[in-house]
Amino acid sequence: MRHLLPLSLLALLASGCERMPEDSVFLYGRLLKEDGSPQAGSLRVERALNRSFVDGQYNPEVDWNFEPYSEGDSQDSGDFTLEIVYGDTYVEDLYSYASHRFRVYPPLDADGNGVFVAFFFQDDVELPALRPWTSGLAVTSGPEGPTLSFAPAPPGPEVPPAGRQREFYDNEGNVVPRPPSTTMPVVQLHGAGALVWQQLQAASPWVPSPYVLEDFQGVEAQVRALSADEWYFEPLAAQYSSVTFRMEWRSPRVAVPPGGLTPISRGAGCSAAPVDGACPFTDGKLLPRDTLPESQQPGAGSDFGVEAVSFTLPAPARPRRLVVRALETTLGYTPRMRLVLEGSTDAVSWAPLGDFPIVNYDEKDRNRELYSYALTNDEDSPFDAPIVVFNGPLFLDAPLTGDAPVRHVRLRVTGEDGKTPGRLLKLAELSLFE
């Protein structure tokens, strides 16, 4: 029953009254050590506003930028109470209304473990307990190369005694509670300022192939986990309150031995090319780039991106392996698509080298629909680059077919039927190996 009494009393005092901008609302929670015992320590509170829908205009280039709001401390019991001015939770103008998104987190511990919660909320609410995850991430040498081992992902946060999960209507019109969101473990391999690889739903032990490691130097491994939920509070004789949150845990980074494979595509030219000079998709720098920047688009109303990117190898070769990093397409919003690689000797006649079915998401996964709002902002983390859960970048490591040498290769995407063309929006790197 922790916090139930103060939450009810505060709501009772406000019963029947609209919140005024100068009123206070409160966030309750607990800070815990990795072993689950109470932690007395400092907390940071930050907030962000997506202004793309404010001021009567839509601007997709404006994103969430968190800024410091306040600081707080937990007691020896681990409990904390954070005060927020109600008028600081939203922005309203003549055309629109927008809620600030808040995040609360303790500093990283001495080992680099961390946890945070980012959320929208209404009135007084309880936050999930902030407890870092001891992942035990380790990198060892195995017969297949470096092996990553780590603990199972932490369970999703428990609903506090004063709250309950929100409900929804099923297909028969019955009111049922939302299922708890399961925690997703994610392995990331970091290179020089960009991702070498990202593996969602990763399981320990995890072994990256030598093609994934390529010849990159200074690679570091990290394991992260995320969960989401929506809680509803209805104190006695008072209006309800709610919190919709994304919670993430992160481990420190651990060095990975360098790979030793240089792709035959390194330095290959490409078309369409987003920049003059060397192709940014084969330079080994791993930075995601637009396939065709807005300045090069045909005109207003045109589709962004390109239907295909073609590459010219330095010399004819027989590609046996394909690695694609951080590919974004117009079909990433569909449940399934196909990634197609073709080869040619003259860039006129094309033959298949690989046709890969891609599952972007399970359309039967109700949690995707229920928690899309909770996971609305991928850039919530105060510690790391974003984890994009829905419609995220594609990473693929797959064998190729075809025995004839080719000088040119072409990458494109289609719908699940293999006929409906998609467009390539962004790409970090394409690597081919013999």
Side-chain angles (χ1 to χ4, degrees), residues 11 41 69 95 144 160 172 214 294 306 322 327 356:
Y69 179 79
Y95 307 100
E144 299 179 5
E172 287 73 40
E214 207 163 302
E294 185 175 359
V306 296
L322 168 68
L327 173 65
F356 308 101

Side-chain angles (χ1 to χ4, degrees), residues 178-244:
R178 296 179 183 233
S181 172
T182 55
T183 303
M184 176 187 292
V186 180
V187 164
Q188 292 183 324
L189 300 180
H190 300 273
L195 277 179
V196 171
W197 197 258
Q198 177 170 280
Q199 187 73 37
L200 303 180
Q201 300 292 2
S204 177
W206 184 77
V207 182
S209 82
Y211 303 102
V212 164
L213 295 175
E214 207 163 302
D215 58 358
F216 300 120
Q217 303 295 308
V219 176
E220 294 180 313
Q222 182 182 35
V223 62
R224 298 165 65 180
L226 70 153
S227 184
D229 215 332
E230 296 183 274
W231 293 345
Y232 178 92
F233 303 89
E234 194 171 9
L236 182 65
Q239 295 181 344
Y240 78 90
S241 60
S242 64
V243 60
T244 302

Side-chain angles (χ1 to χ4, degrees), residues 66-79:
F66 282 93
E67 298 178 345
Y69 179 79
S70 67
E71 295 183 354
D73 295 287
S74 61
Q75 304 171 11
D76 290 340
S77 63
D79 296 319

Side-chain angles (χ1 to χ4, degrees), residues 112-183:
N113 298 297
V115 62
F116 75 87
V117 59
F119 52 93
F120 294 111
F121 76 106
Q122 183 176 358
D123 220 279
D124 303 317
V125 295
E126 291 193 54
L127 300 177
L130 295 171
R131 177 182 175 181
W133 168 39
T134 306
S135 67
L137 174 63
V139 178
T140 56
S141 296
E144 299 179 5
T147 299
L148 279 63
S149 59
F150 47 91
E158 295 184 2
V159 182
R164 57 186 174 88
Q165 287 181 304
R166 284 192 171 183
E167 299 168 334
F168 71 98
Y169 289 96
D170 63 15
N171 294 333
E172 287 73 40
N174 301 312
V175 178
V176 295
R178 296 179 183 233
S181 172
T182 55
T183 303

Side-chain angles (χ1 to χ4, degrees), residues 54 90-98:
V54 182
Y90 66 93
V91 170
E92 188 174 16
D93 58 26
L94 292 176
Y95 307 100
S96 59
Y97 175 95

